[in-house]
Amino acid sequence: AQSVTQLGSHVSVSEGALVLLRCNYSSSVPPYLFWYVQYPNQGLQLLLKYTSAATLVKGINGFEAEFKKSETSFHLTKPSAHMSDAAEYFCAVSQNTGGFKTIFGAGTRLFVKA
Amino acid sequence: DAGITQSPRHKVTETGTPVTLRCHQTENHRYMYWYRQDPGHGLRLIHYSYGVKDTDKGEVSDGYSVSRSKTEDFLLTLESATSSQTSVYFCAISELAVSSYNEQFFGPGTRLTVL
């Protein structure tokens, strides 16, 4: 069975500081991994996705994530936080097995301090 | 932006009443999904559809039913609403294509309050 664990329900950083949001997954077959972002009162938007083409994945708004199979991790990073990055971030995993269901983590809310 | 709308966007109802939420897409995507979002739980799949009249249960399907009579519409019905179904409901769509790897596009959500 698949599962996703996001470490830290809330993360607070200063503007200009490194953003690191942690995600660990469990999957019995090679997974597809995603990060989605949700701004207040909106639906989720895809930030980036891992599809086995490259372990370092670049997404929108300067975010990137690295797939580490040995650590079963897919952490999201951004070198310099901006106030507009304040949102909730969800890590998700899916497999190419019947139904194509996606399992979402519980989410991490990012606060950016001026 | 993917063409996904949800209606209503907000609804307050009373315990025991039936409620139907509608998701409409203009992308002609094959798969449609209903999720509920609750603090500390992320998004949990209620039901999904893989074609017209083809639906299946997700992890939290009790108390919910769905119907899909047209490609573009996916309805979620709470047969007899309970306070535990107070939540934000999101519809999502995806096209089963190798290049998309099941990337989902989400609607704006419906905030449902059951009193």
Side-chain angles (χ1 to χ4, degrees):
Chain A
Q2 306 165 74
S3 66
V4 175
T5 302
Q6 290 185 240
L7 300 177
S9 58
H10 297 83
V11 170
S12 181
V13 301
S14 298
E15 192 172 22
L18 172 71
V19 175
L20 171 60
L21 305 182
R22 300 177 187 272
C23 173
N24 288 90
Y25 70 92
S26 171
S27 177
S28 57
V29 298
Y32 300 145
L33 295 161
F34 306 82
W35 276 100
Y36 287 86
V37 59
Q38 183 181 32
Y39 298 103
N41 299 314
Q42 295 184 26
L44 279 68
Q45 305 171 34
L46 183 69
L47 206 53
L48 51 79
K49 61 184 178 183
Y50 167 74
T51 60
S52 76
T55 57
L56 183 62
V57 181
K58 294 187 183 299
I60 61 173
N61 301 335
F63 283 94
E64 61 182 35
E66 185 173 7
F67 173 70
K68 292 187 177 181
K69 183 178 179 180
S70 61
E71 299 178 7
T72 60
S73 68
F74 191 56
H75 302 333
L76 182 71
T77 61
K78 182 174 181 178
S80 177
H82 191 273
M83 297 295 288
S84 61
D85 294 326
E88 189 155 22
Y89 293 80
F90 294 92
C91 183
V93 61
S94 67
Q95 294 175 332
N96 188 4
T97 55
F100 286 78
K101 286 184 273 191
T102 301
I103 304 298
F104 288 83
T108 297
R109 185 167 295 279
L110 177 66
F111 297 93
V112 182
K113 299 175 291 185
Chain B
D1 290 344
I4 311 168
T5 56
Q6 293 184 231
S7 59
R9 294 292 314 279
H10 302 270
K11 186 169 182 66
V12 179
T13 190
E14 295 187 349
T15 298
T17 60
V19 176
T20 295
L21 308 183
R22 180 182 184 238
C23 178
H24 179 79
Q25 61 146 329
T26 58
E27 305 297 319
N28 201 35
H29 280 12
R30 178 181 174 185
Y31 279 66
M32 299 186 75
Y33 312 78
W34 276 108
Y35 291 92
R36 59 178 291 173
Q37 183 179 28
D38 304 289
H41 291 278
L43 274 76
R44 291 180 292 176
L45 183 65
I46 305 171
H47 282 279
Y48 68 99
S49 170
Y50 47 95
V52 174
K53 297 187 179 177
D54 292 323
T55 64
D56 203 352
K57 296 179 179 180
E59 62 178 308
V60 290
S61 59
D62 287 348
Y64 301 95
S65 62
V66 291
S67 65
R68 191 170 179 197
S69 59
K70 297 184 290 185
T71 298
E72 58 266 34
D73 289 327
F74 193 32
L75 304 181
L76 176 70
T77 297
L78 288 65
E79 293 136 11
S80 178
T82 67
S83 58
S84 64
Q85 294 176 311
T86 292
S87 186
V88 181
Y89 291 85
F90 287 98
C91 174
I93 65 174
S94 69
E95 181 57 21
L96 188 58
V98 173
S99 61
S100 72
Y101 293 99
N102 197 34
E103 171 184 344
Q104 294 179 56
F105 301 92
F106 285 82
T110 294
R111 184 172 296 275
L112 176 67
T113 302
V114 183
L115 302 176

